[in-house]
Amino acid sequence: MKKPNFQAWLEQKVSDEPEVILAGKLEYLRLYLTDAMREIRNKAGLTQAQLAEKLGVKQAAVSKLESALKEHELESVLHYLHTLGADLLVAVKQGDDLYQASDNEGVLLVDVPDVVFQKALAANMSVREYVHVAVKKFSGEDDGLRTALVKLLESDDSVAVKVRERLGSRTIQEVAIELEKCLSLSEEEDRLSAVKNVLAANVSCRESNRGSSDQVDEIELLDLAEELLEKLADI
């Protein structure tokens, strides 16, 4: 839904009085809520009179609900939305804590950092569109990378054979997950150290220490880690 930009107007500082600040927040809520309600009704192809008939009220009642200048009872708003097959999602934020008050499975309200707003703006997208695209892309890349890692480790490649010799009680899938984490590290030296520790049967590459040493041939282990990283780079 493309929202009118009420934000800039509402953020203009008028007063430090708590009552004035609260009034501004109420105005902000009414503006966006009533705008959404009208758009949902229009998408349903209903006039105010037609919706009023479905609700069992007069047209004036629907007009009042869609007015940002009027106070609204929560029950009336929920009835309006329910009739149009819509839900009201509510969350309460205090500091860094966010509490979702609406019971709606499959929908999670979250707060996002300012950098996401800036990236969405640069991409000429709404924040919701940007997040959906980012999640879809991340999930797709995540599954594809892990599948490629498993395929490599199961192959007859000489490096893969050496890696399987070091699996111990771990499965290929488990090692693939650990290697995937290692590849997310930004520094090349950190990736190499992390892969080496995975090969040494460490549980988690993120807990690795560059100076740590297991009871293995360090040179052989480091060579294998470098060879494996070259294979992973091709992926």
Side-chain angles (χ1 to χ4, degrees), residues 14 17 38 49 60 76 92 98 120 130 142-143 188 196 201-202 230:
V14 178
E17 294 295 326
R38 287 191 300 272
S76 298
V92 178
L98 186 69
Y130 183 86
D142 178 72
D143 294 341
E188 182 179 355
K196 181 172 72 69
N202 284 347
E230 290 180 3

Side-chain angles (χ1 to χ4, degrees), residues 93-230:
K93 189 174 189 302
Q94 182 184 43
D96 294 330
D97 296 322
L98 186 69
Y99 307 92
Q100 182 162 328
S102 51
D103 182 14
N104 195 293
E105 293 185 2
V107 177
L108 180 64
L109 300 178
V110 298
D111 49 350
V112 294
D114 290 338
V115 65
V116 176
F117 286 93
Q118 298 303 321
K119 288 181 177 294
L121 182 63
N124 195 27
M125 302 168 67
S126 70
V127 175
R128 185 171 185 271
E129 290 170 337
Y130 183 86
V131 171
H132 272 258
V133 170
V135 170
K136 183 177 181 181
K137 181 180 179 182
F138 175 80
S139 299
E141 289 179 348
D142 178 72
D143 294 341
L145 175 59
R146 190 170 303 172
T147 298
L149 287 171
V150 171
K151 185 176 180 180
L152 169 64
L153 295 177
E154 290 178 340
S155 71
D156 294 330
D157 183 272
S158 59
V159 174
V161 173
K162 294 177 183 178
V163 172
R164 289 201 297 273
E165 292 174 353
R166 296 182 175 276
L167 289 180
S169 60
R170 297 172 297 169
T171 66
I172 288 179
Q173 183 71 22
E174 289 172 338
V175 173
I177 292 174
E178 288 302 318
L179 290 176
E180 186 178 20
K181 295 177 183 178
C182 297
L183 291 177
S184 69
L185 300 176
S186 58
E187 297 295 331
E188 182 179 355
E189 186 177 353
D190 289 336
R191 289 196 297 272
L192 178 60
S193 178
V195 170
K196 181 172 72 69
N197 280 298
V198 169
L199 295 175
N202 284 347
V203 176
S204 173
C205 70
R206 290 191 182 279
E207 296 176 356
S208 64
N209 187 318
R210 294 183 193 177
S212 65
S213 175
D214 295 318
Q215 299 299 316
V216 294
D217 185 339
E218 284 292 311
I219 297 178
E220 180 183 342
L221 190 61
L222 186 60
D223 287 343
L224 179 56
E226 290 177 340
E227 291 176 358
L228 180 55
L229 269 179
E230 290 180 3

